[in-house]
Amino acid sequence: MHRVGIIISDHFQMLALSTLTVLEFANYANGKTFYQPQVYSESGGTVRSSLGIGVETLPLGPDALADTWLVAGVVSPVQEPASDGVVHFLQTTARNARRVAGICTGAFVLAQAGLLNEKRATTHWAHARSLAVMHPTVQLAEDRIFIIDDRIWTSAGMTAGLDMVLGMVEKDLGADIARVVAHRLVMSQRRSGGQTQHSEILALAPRSDRLQRALEYARSHLGKTLTVELLAEAVHLSPRQLSRLFRQETGKSPAKAIEGLRLEAARLMIEESRLSLDAIAHEAGFRDGRHMREVFIRGYGIPPQSLRSGR
């Protein structure tokens, strides 16, 4: 039995509790109970979320033991630092656990307890700069879904906590169980920790269903030569209609939007795989490695190999 304790405090984000659903479905997929989660707070009793909904908790103390501790974030981590009791518990009892993790702005609590000193960590992009200023010893990677540094895990905001806990399931029970859980939770993909918090499709902000489908088709077929005619046929529009839709909703031509998708895909493959740069260029749909390098420098200001050499 693997005990998991999640620590919440007043004004915590309700979405943090959804991470326990990942553990619930992992138990189902495993065929027997592996995870035993409990919800804790400093003094126990009812704790109010940022929505005002009350959640019953057990008190922290010497008898509060877990193999993995999850620390939920609050809406305003700068204005609402963790209590002395929570910090003391993390510095003493919790730090001896197998894992300690900060969900979203829970990273601020771990940093306050000194658990992130000289550690790589991430948090919600909107609070990343504040974390860097308040805790300069943290090696902040503000553009990552989640990060593991030894026994310390931290995640970006909101749904990234699900990805982080799913990553724990994969380490504990294997990739097959993690895939079953992701499927049960209707997660479109299991995002790895190295993935960026920002999605190119979200940045393009398509409003219409047809343009969203065109972009999803393009992202799923980057290895092809993606002409306007091919995309238009996939979503049952004329090339002229689709080009106009791209301009109206994204401010970009179809070619520029697809280039952004190729760039994002190549970046992820460089960071997460051991494929050669030429193979990645082919997979992402660039003409060759030289073409990918040109687009990288134009888009990111650095050559693609610099991402790999920095790992």
Side-chain angles (χ1 to χ4, degrees):
M1 192 77 69
H2 187 96
R3 297 162 300 178
V4 179
I6 182 168
I7 301 172
I8 62 175
S9 56
D10 284 331
H11 306 137
F12 75 96
Q13 281 282 338
M14 286 292 294
L15 195 57
L17 294 181
S18 66
T19 57
L20 302 184
T21 303
V22 174
L23 305 180
E24 176 187 6
F25 279 90
N27 285 338
Y28 291 148
N30 190 44
K32 59 182 178 180
T33 300
F34 179 81
Y35 294 106
Q36 185 179 49
Q38 296 282 0
V39 184
Y40 292 86
S41 65
E42 181 178 4
S43 303
T46 303
V47 174
R48 298 287 172 185
S49 72
S50 57
L51 282 172
I53 296 173
V55 176
E56 288 301 311
T57 65
L58 298 173
L60 294 175
D63 295 328
L65 301 175
D67 301 290
T68 294
W69 285 102
L70 307 174
V71 181
V74 296
V75 176
S76 303
V78 177
Q79 287 75 31
E80 299 179 276
S83 67
D84 291 341
V86 169
V87 169
H88 177 72
F89 180 81
L90 290 171
Q91 290 173 334
T92 54
T93 304
R95 75 179 307 146
N96 296 318
R98 176 183 167 193
R99 282 185 297 234
V100 182
I103 303 170
C104 190
T105 57
F108 281 77
V109 183
L110 300 190
Q112 192 179 335
L115 299 187
L116 297 187
N117 289 345
E118 307 303 330
K119 296 285 189 184
R120 294 182 67 246
T122 191
T123 191
H124 192 295
W125 61 266
H127 299 283
R129 288 296 89 201
S130 295
L131 181 64
V133 170
M134 293 172 65
H135 303 282
T137 63
V138 177
Q139 297 176 16
L140 186 66
E142 59 187 85
D143 194 35
R144 290 295 175 266
I145 296 296
F146 67 87
I147 284 179
I148 309 167
D149 192 333
D150 193 19
R151 297 182 302 109
I152 305 298
W153 297 51
T154 49
S155 81
M158 306 304 174
T159 58
L162 298 176
D163 297 288
M164 179 178 69
V165 176
L166 193 57
M168 295 178 182
V169 170
E170 180 170 336
K171 282 194 175 293
D172 295 338
L173 298 174
D176 289 342
I177 295 292
R179 278 193 292 270
V180 170
V181 174
H183 184 62
R184 290 279 185 91
L185 295 179
V186 199
M187 297 171 72
S188 60
Q189 59 176 320
R190 196 192 73 72
R191 298 183 295 179
S192 65
Q195 222 168 315
T196 176
Q197 293 188 34
H198 302 286
S199 162
E200 184 65 22
I201 286 184
L202 285 178
L204 290 169
R207 296 187 299 275
S208 65
D209 289 343
R210 284 190 173 179
L211 189 53
Q212 289 178 23
R213 291 203 307 273
L215 288 168
E216 288 291 352
Y217 178 88
R219 188 162 65 175
S220 301
H221 298 82
L222 290 177
K224 289 186 175 181
T225 300
L226 293 170
T227 63
V228 177
E229 289 75 17
L230 181 62
L231 292 180
E233 182 181 354
V235 295
H236 309 295
L237 288 173
S238 72
R240 177 176 293 183
Q241 287 175 314
L242 185 63
S243 294
R244 186 167 62 245
L245 206 56
F246 265 93
R247 290 287 186 186
Q248 288 174 346
E249 297 194 17
T250 72
K252 295 183 178 182
S253 68
K256 278 295 181 185
I258 291 168
E259 184 179 275
L261 294 177
R262 295 193 195 282
L263 195 56
E264 180 181 62
R267 176 182 171 182
L268 291 176
M269 282 189 278
I270 290 169
E271 293 176 335
E272 298 177 12
S273 78
R274 298 190 179 190
L275 292 173
S276 69
L277 293 181
D278 285 339
I280 289 171
H282 176 74
E283 289 289 326
F286 293 102
R287 291 193 301 272
D288 50 33
R290 185 174 181 177
H291 179 216
M292 182 173 75
R293 176 186 169 86
E294 291 172 358
V295 176
F296 250 81
I297 291 174
R298 187 165 63 243
Y300 294 140
I302 56 174
Q305 60 266 31
S306 66
L307 293 178
R308 183 160 283 175
S309 62
R311 288 197 305 192

